[in-house]
């Protein structure tokens, strides 16, 4: 039997991923970052058992990967296929190897070398206190969008796929039990995590047989609104728990589930041998579809390069890194894991549909494609899984649980990061209450609720989606700003900085261009709120880029070749 084109391309992409990790990440680790196995990491220096805790690199990779994955590397590529599978595939592969790798790996290393501080605080040292304040505000806004929107995504999935409700909530006490057994009773991690994974799959069958169907409205509010409140409250509580109790064991189980899920999907691709329904380059895109360039590079963020990854690297992962040399595995390979997810999302949506008519029906309008990324992936993935003889009910439940689990992981990691950022804002502007963990958690929770409910009073709980069009551009601009910091650090310390500078120029240029196009569209559509917020974000980022250029000019007069702080 002849091998289909999608299978050949997938094998080629996997080969490039292997070569990238084998050679390019090694070059970054040894020649650029010069990782030191004897360097005392913040996890040891500030160990408190809550946020700072030396962690096995495989466990930490599970947390890092689960936190950055979420639903975005599925939704973004599923939408971008409307322009054709070729541009999406090229951006995912090249973006993972040369953009996400240096960004995620680099921000993790930079944070470890700066006492586990976030990129926002590192900005103070590299550029100045004024730039630090600006960056912290941008990061807070990005995290606010992440929290509010992901809560809405999960709420919609619970409503659309009620079989996913029970397995998700049963996973939480399971993960906490594993955390207790490993960290308090001294059990080795491997077998409890394997048992936990098997139980999780048993929960999937339980959920499929006992879906949780709730009323459409309760007390006059849609059920999705109640789910948003529940998920944000859960995220706030989870963000205050010690990382060993829920965050690490749950993320480790999730990483196993995702790899098993990826294995099933890739195996389904290789067995079903589908052909592409989508064109390589779609020259007949529906009316109203934005231009391929530059919108492709913000539509696919997670899975190529994402500013949120830098916040995770410098927010939670850097505080748990046992050895500095583990940063290569956690940071670079973590980015590759998300690239694998984005790759199969492209194949599922470009070749997984039952036929070209079904594909054209879904991608026949920009509104359908942009709002139905998750549905497109579930449809295509279900088609691939069917080749393994798995029933549609079990397959759909499994895929929805996979998406919900990673979206929820991103949610509570983001809530923890938001607390960190509020504490750093409190230090920057001498606001003592924000430095308190409990106060910061409450402020983070309430701000997300306000956005979710007041941004669109006519649709309670869905308000986060009003600002969603700005998420992609804000996310990528944040990645560009993190690359500015990394470039200046490498230049200051006499390292090879072009590995960060080239991605920086590309990302900032494409993203600013995309933001301008979006603002012009909002003006034409009369969306005043989006215009105001978009202009504000673009102005703040432009200001920070200018501050970076001024810092680079100041650096010219200083002697290069300084060593990083010990």
């Amino acid at each position: 039997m002849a091998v289909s084109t999608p299978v050949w391309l997938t094998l080629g992409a996997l080969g490039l991923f292997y070569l990238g990790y084998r050679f390019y990440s090694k070059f970054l680790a040894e020649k650029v970052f010069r990782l030191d196995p004897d360097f005392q990491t913040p996890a040891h220096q500030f160990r408190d058992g809550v946020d700072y805790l030396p962690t096995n690199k495989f466990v930490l990779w599970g947390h890092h990967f689960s936190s950055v994955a979420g639903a975005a590397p599925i939704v973004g590529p599923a939408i971008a296929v409307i322009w054709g599978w070729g541009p999406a595939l090229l951006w995912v592969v090249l973006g993972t190897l040369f953009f996400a790798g240096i960004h995620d790996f680099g921000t993790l290393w930079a944070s470890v070398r700066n006492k586990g501080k976030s990129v926002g605080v590192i900005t103070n040292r590299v550029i100045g206190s004024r730039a630090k304040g600006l960056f912290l505000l941008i990061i807070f806004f990005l995290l606010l969008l992440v929290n509010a929107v992901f809560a809405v995504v999960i709420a919609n999935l619970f409503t659309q796929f009620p079989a996913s409700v029970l397995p998700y909530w049963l996973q939480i006490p399971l993960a906490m039990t594993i955390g207790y057994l490993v960290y308090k009773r001294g059990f080795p991690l491997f077998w409890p995590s394997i048992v936990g994974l098997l139980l999780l799959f048993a929960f999937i069958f339980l959920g499929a047989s006992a879906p949780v169907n709730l009323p459409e409205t309760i007390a006059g509010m849609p059920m999705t609104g109640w789910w948003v409140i529940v998920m944000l409250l859960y995220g706030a509580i989870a963000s205050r728990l010690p990382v060993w109790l829920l965050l690490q064991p749950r993320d480790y189980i999730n990483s196993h589930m995702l790899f098993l899920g990826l294995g099933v999907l890739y195996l389904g691709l290789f067995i079903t041998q589908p052909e592409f329904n989508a064109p390589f380059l779609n020259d007949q895109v529906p009316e109203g579809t934005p231009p391929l360039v530059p919108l492709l590079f913000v539509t696919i963020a997670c899975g190529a390069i994402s500013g949120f990854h830098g916040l995770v690297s410098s927010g939670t992962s850097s505080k748990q890194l046992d050895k500095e040399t583990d940063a290569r595995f956690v940071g670079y390979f973590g980015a590759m894991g998300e690239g694998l997810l984005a790759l199969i999302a492209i194949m599922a949506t470009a070749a997984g549909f039952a036929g070209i008519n079904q594909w054209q029906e879904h991608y026949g309008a920009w509104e359908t494609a942009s709002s139905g990324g998750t549905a497109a992936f579930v449809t295509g993935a279900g088609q691939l899984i069917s080749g393994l003889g798995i029933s549609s009910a079990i397959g759909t439940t499994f895929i929805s649980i996979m998406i919900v689990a990673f979206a929820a992981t991103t949610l509570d990691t983001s809530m923890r990061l938001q607390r960190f950022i509020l504490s750093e804002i409190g230090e920057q502007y001498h606001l003592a209450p924000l430095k308190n963990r409990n106060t910061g958690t409450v402020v983070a929770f309430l701000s997300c609720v306000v956005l979710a409910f007041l941004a669109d009073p006519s649709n309670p709980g869905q308000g986060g989606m009003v600002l969603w069009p700005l998420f992609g551009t804000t996310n990528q601009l944040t990645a560009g700003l993190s690359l500015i910091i990394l470039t200046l650090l490498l230049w200051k310390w006499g390292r090879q900085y072009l590995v960060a500078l080239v991605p920086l120029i590309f990302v900032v240029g494409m993203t600013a261009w995309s933001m301008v196009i979006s603002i012009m569209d909002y003006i034409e559509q009369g969306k005043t709120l989006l215009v105001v917020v978009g202009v504000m974000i673009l102005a703040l980022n432009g200001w920070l880029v200018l501050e970076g250029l001024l810092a680079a000019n100041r650096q010219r007069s200083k002697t290069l070749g300084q060593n990083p702080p010990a």
Side-chain angles (χ1 to χ4, degrees), residues 36-60:
D36 181 3
D38 298 322
F39 179 79
Q40 185 183 37
T41 63
H44 290 279
Q45 187 177 2
F46 305 111
R47 180 171 184 160
D48 61 5
V50 178
D51 298 318
Y52 294 85
L53 181 69
T55 304
N56 177 281
K57 69 177 182 179
F58 296 101
V59 178
L60 181 56

Side-chain angles (χ1 to χ4, degrees), residues 11-357:
L11 291 173
L14 294 177
L16 291 175
F17 281 168
Y18 168 77
L19 294 174
Y21 184 77
R22 175 67 178 82
F23 296 105
Y24 187 58
S25 73
K26 183 179 181 181
F27 164 74
L28 294 176
E30 295 180 354
K31 304 300 183 182
V32 179
F33 301 135
R34 303 174 192 173
L35 303 184
D36 181 3
D38 298 322
F39 179 79
Q40 185 183 37
T41 63
H44 290 279
Q45 187 177 2
F46 305 111
R47 180 171 184 160
D48 61 5
V50 178
D51 298 318
Y52 294 85
L53 181 69
T55 304
N56 177 281
K57 69 177 182 179
F58 296 101
V59 178
L60 181 56
W61 182 89
H63 154 69
H64 181 84
F65 181 30
S66 300
S67 297
V68 302
I74 293 172
V75 176
I79 295 173
V81 168
I82 194 172
W83 289 300
W85 58 263
L89 180 62
L90 288 173
W91 175 229
V92 164
V93 173
L94 296 179
T96 296
L97 295 176
F98 301 109
F99 289 72
I102 180 69
H103 175 270
D104 296 15
F105 187 3
T107 49
L108 177 59
W109 166 78
S111 178
V112 167
R113 285 283 167 159
N114 285 272
K115 303 183 183 301
K117 298 299 184 181
S118 72
V119 287
V121 174
I122 299 172
T123 303
N124 183 40
R125 178 180 178 183
V126 178
I127 300 181
S129 60
R130 182 172 54 201
K132 171 192 171 184
L134 290 171
F135 203 177
L136 288 176
L137 292 174
I138 293 172
I139 293 173
F140 178 80
F141 184 78
L142 174 60
L143 292 173
L144 184 63
L145 281 173
V146 170
N147 292 335
V149 172
F150 271 62
V152 173
V153 169
I154 296 168
N156 289 335
L157 284 170
F158 279 161
T159 303
Q160 295 171 10
F161 304 100
S164 66
V165 176
L166 195 58
Y168 172 75
W169 291 107
L170 287 175
Q171 183 195 32
I172 295 174
L174 174 63
M176 296 177 73
T177 300
I178 293 175
Y180 172 76
L181 291 175
V182 171
Y183 286 99
K184 295 302 181 181
R185 305 298 297 178
F187 279 68
L189 176 64
F190 179 76
W191 288 113
S193 65
I194 294 299
V195 172
L197 182 64
L198 293 175
L199 287 174
L200 178 59
F201 280 105
F203 295 160
I204 291 176
F205 284 92
L206 179 62
S209 61
V212 179
N213 292 296
L214 298 174
E216 291 186 6
T217 61
I218 297 178
M221 186 167 72
M223 193 60 225
T224 52
W226 288 108
W227 275 128
V228 167
I229 294 176
V230 169
M231 292 310 304
L232 289 175
L233 184 60
Y234 155 77
I237 295 172
S239 72
R240 286 292 291 112
L241 296 176
V243 291
W244 62 265
L245 182 59
L246 177 60
L247 190 73
Q248 288 183 356
R250 194 265 327 276
D251 292 356
Y252 195 55
I253 296 173
N254 280 348
S255 66
H256 287 334
M257 182 179 68
L258 179 57
F259 261 103
L260 186 58
L262 285 174
V264 169
L265 289 171
Y266 276 104
L267 183 61
L269 175 70
F270 297 147
I271 289 179
T272 57
Q273 296 274 326
E275 293 292 347
F276 283 118
N277 294 310
F280 172 83
L281 180 64
N282 191 359
D283 57 0
Q284 296 181 340
V285 295
E287 185 178 354
T289 302
L292 167 64
V293 179
L295 268 297
L296 170 70
F297 305 104
V298 297
T299 302
I300 300 180
C302 298
I305 180 173
S306 165
F308 180 71
H309 295 194
L311 306 187
V312 175
S313 291
S314 65
T316 58
S317 298
S318 64
K319 297 174 176 61
Q320 302 172 62
L321 198 72
D322 183 29
K323 297 180 180 179
E324 189 179 54
T325 48
D326 292 344
R328 176 191 177 195
F329 182 79
V330 174
Y332 195 95
F333 192 59
M336 288 188 60
E338 188 159 81
L340 291 170
L341 182 56
L343 175 62
I344 196 62
I346 292 172
M347 295 304 165
T349 51
F353 279 74
I356 190 170
N357 292 333

